[in-house]
Amino acid sequence: MKEQSTGRSFISLSFASILVKIMSLLYVPIIIRILGDEGYGIYLASYDIFSLIYVITNSGMQIAIAKQVAEFVAINESQNILKAFQIGNRILFIIGFVGSIVLFLIAKPISSLIGSERAYLGILFLSPTIFFTSILAGYRGLFQGISNMTPIALSQVLEQICNIFISIFCASMLVNNSLELGAAGGTVGTTVGAIIAIIFLCMTMRKQRILYNLNISVPYLNCELERRESDSTKDIIFTFFKYGIPVILTSGIQYVGAVIDLALVKNRLMFAGFDYSTGDILYGLLGKYKTLIYVPLAIIAALSAAVIPSLVKSVVLKDRNNLFKKIRFALKTSLSISIPSCVGLALLSRPIYLILFSAEYSSGYTLMLYGSSLVVFMSIVQIQTTILQGLNKFYSVFTSLFIGVLLKLLSNYFLVGIPSININGAIIGSIVGFLVPMIINGILIKKYIGFKGMGLINSIKPFISSIVMGIFIIIFYKFNSFLFMNNNSIIIKYLTFGLVVIFGCIVYFVFIVVLRYFNKEDLEFIPSSIIRIIPKKIMSKFFN
């Protein structure tokens, strides 16, 4: 069986990520209706604490397993792939078990420490999830390392479906007892979803006989693997921690910053004259903004995950030419997604909030109006992080993001405490917190490998196409609003909004092709099944 190409892997993960985020967007207004803005603020606070422990226990090891496996694949060491997976799983079992116990024990004191005592039950309910997501990270790391992204994509969708239905059911059942218990009930689906995803990946591995066939060839690779002397357990464990610890530090510093930011933002809102309940509501508005911002970023995350094994292979084989091609393609793809997303989210911020959260809960759309540019900075930083990790420059990533987190916290401290700015200060702080690391990372990549494509030149054509798209979106939306101004049907609203988005995407796609943003070299990373769909006249005219 053949290795999935970077393009095919990206498409598989992107489709799954978009579907998962769409489900999340549909889920959020439902959970807000059940819990209200105040309850949703409690719900988000519990997830902020959970996310910190999750990142510490999960993120580093998944990337470490994927990178280690990808390296063994690149140099044809088949026996070490299985060994790395087994050792990684044992480590994750221990880490996940300890992490669950720790989160259970610190739930009460940490909820008090961050000024969100009512999030205690939610944190408690989420503690078993750490164990199951750790096991899940091991399986996903193996599939990612051998560039078989389809099972990962399917597991993400299955996990989210279970999460949504079970969380809504539990929240609606428990909210009548108390708001805190209802918010905690909204977290139950996370645990169940992770368990279902583990079962699915185990079944997939058994069905495809991935582990059993390693002594012959690795599925999804287009090369026969040679038997070489197996690396010692000690060497593999050392490599895991060599790769995993800096990734944990990098991800951890962002989530530590988020937890500190949670307490900081709420305390500064109190300082600005808002009461405790209003603070929860304002934090809930910030949560809505983050939910929407992460929709396009999910596609960038998929791109990063798909690119890692390919980058590692080029680095291991010292193939500088292919390395530059892959970096250029990843960056161009990132900008071609993030820039139009930024424009679209800003222009349609109010209708998006009205449709998703209803008029009663649509307050806060101005956060999206002024803060949509964060999508561009975060997407570039995410791709830069992937590049630097592929180059084994883990601590450079940590340093730049650490500086960004510090600047974000300082900005939030001063700006959120100003009554006229209040929660809007958190948006400014986030932009600063990613803009600075973006600049630092660009300098570092140029220094390490001499790649100079991180400049503004790659953003000009997507920016022009996005402006044109924005003009057409405004005209089309105004026309539809006038056409259906006397019709308040929710179906008509969804249909109208959907048509506007589709129309905007078509306009953007046409202009990005006409401006010849992607060239023939970029087509190497796009699946042949998609290329065959493109008419030959368009191929010859715009992709030469």
Side-chain angles (χ1 to χ4, degrees):
M1 300 176 80
K2 293 184 178 180
E3 177 185 4
Q4 287 185 326
S5 67
T6 300
R8 187 176 294 278
S9 298
F10 170 50
I11 289 170
S12 297
L13 287 176
S14 293
F15 181 77
S17 299
I18 292 168
L19 193 56
V20 166
K21 285 302 176 183
I22 289 173
M23 287 190 285
S24 295
L25 287 176
L26 297 175
Y27 164 73
V28 169
I30 297 172
I31 204 73
I32 290 175
R33 285 179 182 276
I34 294 170
L35 302 175
D37 272 338
E38 188 176 351
Y40 186 59
I42 298 168
Y43 169 85
L44 288 174
S46 62
Y47 261 106
D48 279 340
I49 301 300
F50 161 76
S51 297
L52 172 61
I53 305 298
Y54 170 83
V55 163
I56 292 172
T57 55
N58 285 222
S59 64
M61 281 302 295
Q62 179 171 334
I63 292 177
I65 291 173
K67 196 171 188 302
Q68 177 80 302
V69 168
E71 288 178 356
F72 287 142
V73 165
I75 57 177
N76 295 348
E77 292 189 355
S78 59
Q79 70 277 24
N80 282 326
I81 297 173
L82 176 57
K83 191 170 184 178
F85 170 66
Q86 291 172 335
I87 293 170
N89 256 10
R90 289 172 194 151
I91 295 172
L92 281 166
F93 183 93
I94 296 168
I95 291 174
F97 182 76
V98 173
S100 288
I101 299 298
V102 168
L103 185 59
F104 182 85
L105 294 175
I106 68 170
K108 188 73 173 178
I110 201 166
S111 59
S112 300
L113 183 65
I114 63 170
S116 295
E117 289 85 354
R118 293 190 293 176
Y120 161 65
L121 287 175
I123 299 169
L124 211 62
F125 277 39
L126 282 166
S127 57
T129 313
I130 297 296
F131 173 75
F132 293 108
T133 53
S134 295
I135 302 300
L136 180 59
Y139 284 97
R140 284 177 173 166
L142 174 65
F143 279 103
Q144 184 179 355
I146 62 174
S147 295
N148 182 11
M149 303 299 183
T150 302
I152 298 178
L154 292 173
S155 73
Q156 289 174 345
V157 174
L158 191 60
E159 181 185 9
Q160 184 70 348
I161 290 171
C162 295
N163 181 9
I164 288 172
F165 281 103
I166 292 170
S167 294
I168 289 172
F169 175 77
C170 292
S172 59
M173 290 294 102
L174 296 174
V175 74
N176 293 326
N177 295 313
S178 71
L179 194 57
E180 292 83 357
L181 198 57
T187 67
V188 174
T190 310
T191 304
V192 179
I195 294 171
I196 297 299
I198 292 170
I199 294 170
F200 171 78
L201 289 178
C202 285
M203 291 173 64
T204 302
M205 289 180 71
R206 178 172 293 184
K207 182 180 178 181
Q208 298 179 355
R209 299 179 62 82
I210 288 175
L211 298 182
Y212 301 108
N213 294 332
L214 281 174
N215 60 341
I216 303 172
S217 64
V218 179
Y220 305 98
L221 301 180
N222 53 14
C223 59
E224 293 295 312
L225 299 180
E226 303 170 5
R227 277 200 165 277
R228 301 180 181 218
E229 184 181 349
S230 177
D231 280 20
S232 70
T233 300
K234 183 179 177 181
D235 289 338
I236 291 175
I237 292 173
F238 174 78
T239 304
F240 276 150
F241 285 106
K242 174 187 171 184
Y243 293 157
I245 288 174
V247 174
I248 290 170
L249 290 173
T250 300
S251 302
I253 191 61
Q254 294 181 77
Y255 279 92
V256 167
V259 172
I260 296 172
D261 201 34
L262 167 61
L264 178 65
V265 167
K266 287 195 173 183
N267 286 332
R268 296 304 289 171
L269 286 171
M270 303 303 110
F271 176 81
F274 298 96
D275 59 36
Y276 197 86
S277 178
T278 306
D280 278 334
I281 291 171
L282 288 173
Y283 193 76
L285 297 180
L286 186 62
K288 293 175 186 175
Y289 163 79
K290 289 179 179 178
T291 300
L292 292 168
I293 281 290
Y294 279 99
V295 173
L297 287 173
I299 305 175
I300 309 302
L303 175 63
S304 298
V307 162
I308 282 179
S310 184
L311 285 179
V312 169
K313 186 175 181 180
S314 295
V315 171
V316 170
L317 299 177
K318 298 180 180 180
D319 188 347
R320 187 185 180 90
N321 184 45
N322 264 326
L323 178 64
F324 276 28
K325 283 182 181 180
K326 290 165 186 175
I327 291 174
R328 198 173 291 110
F329 172 76
L331 181 65
K332 288 174 73 174
T333 304
S334 171
L335 290 170
S336 71
I337 294 167
S338 61
I339 293 176
S341 297
C342 165
V343 174
L345 286 171
L347 293 177
L348 298 174
S349 56
R350 194 164 189 274
I352 289 172
Y353 271 67
L354 285 170
I355 288 172
L356 291 177
F357 308 119
S358 78
E360 185 181 357
Y361 298 108
S362 65
S363 53
Y365 75 89
T366 52
L367 295 179
M368 182 60 67
L369 180 62
Y370 301 120
S372 63
S373 59
L374 183 61
V375 173
V376 179
F377 302 130
M378 287 185 75
S379 65
I380 294 174
V381 169
Q382 194 161 13
I383 294 300
Q384 290 173 331
T385 298
T386 300
I387 294 166
L388 289 168
Q389 286 174 345
L391 297 170
N392 295 329
K393 303 298 181 181
F394 295 99
Y395 289 102
S396 296
V397 177
F398 171 74
T399 303
S400 67
L401 288 176
F402 180 73
I403 293 170
V405 168
L406 283 180
L407 291 173
K408 175 187 175 182
L409 293 175
L410 285 171
S411 177
N412 286 356
Y413 180 83
F414 290 108
L415 296 176
V416 176
I418 301 172
S420 59
I421 298 178
N422 58 76
I423 199 67
N424 294 290
I427 305 299
I428 300 170
S430 295
I431 291 172
V432 171
F434 280 96
L435 176 60
V436 174
M438 183 188 78
I439 296 169
I440 294 173
N441 289 341
I443 294 170
L444 290 175
I445 291 170
K446 183 179 178 181
K447 175 186 174 183
Y448 292 139
I449 58 173
F451 183 78
K452 301 177 182 179
M454 289 289 169
L456 293 174
I457 190 67
N458 284 313
S459 64
I460 294 173
K461 291 179 181 179
F463 180 75
I464 294 170
S465 300
S466 298
I467 294 299
V468 176
M469 176 197 75
I471 294 169
F472 276 90
I473 280 178
I474 293 171
I475 295 170
F476 194 66
Y477 185 77
K478 293 287 185 184
F479 173 75
N480 277 280
S481 298
F482 174 77
L483 201 63
F484 300 106
M485 63 180 175
N486 295 321
N487 194 321
N488 293 319
S489 169
I490 189 67
I491 296 175
I492 294 296
K493 287 182 180 179
Y494 272 101
L495 184 61
T496 301
F497 181 78
L499 288 172
V500 170
V501 172
I502 292 170
F503 180 72
C505 290
I506 292 171
V507 170
Y508 176 77
F509 176 76
V510 168
F511 272 84
I512 206 74
V513 169
V514 169
L515 291 175
R516 301 188 182 191
Y517 182 61
F518 290 103
N519 53 41
K520 197 171 184 178
E521 184 181 87
D522 298 320
L523 296 180
E524 294 177 22
F525 304 100
I526 299 174
S528 57
S529 57
I530 291 179
I531 293 176
R532 283 196 295 268
I533 298 172
I534 304 173
K536 290 183 179 180
K537 286 185 178 180
I538 294 178
M539 286 287 294
S540 60
K541 187 172 183 179
F542 298 110
F543 292 97
N544 282 328

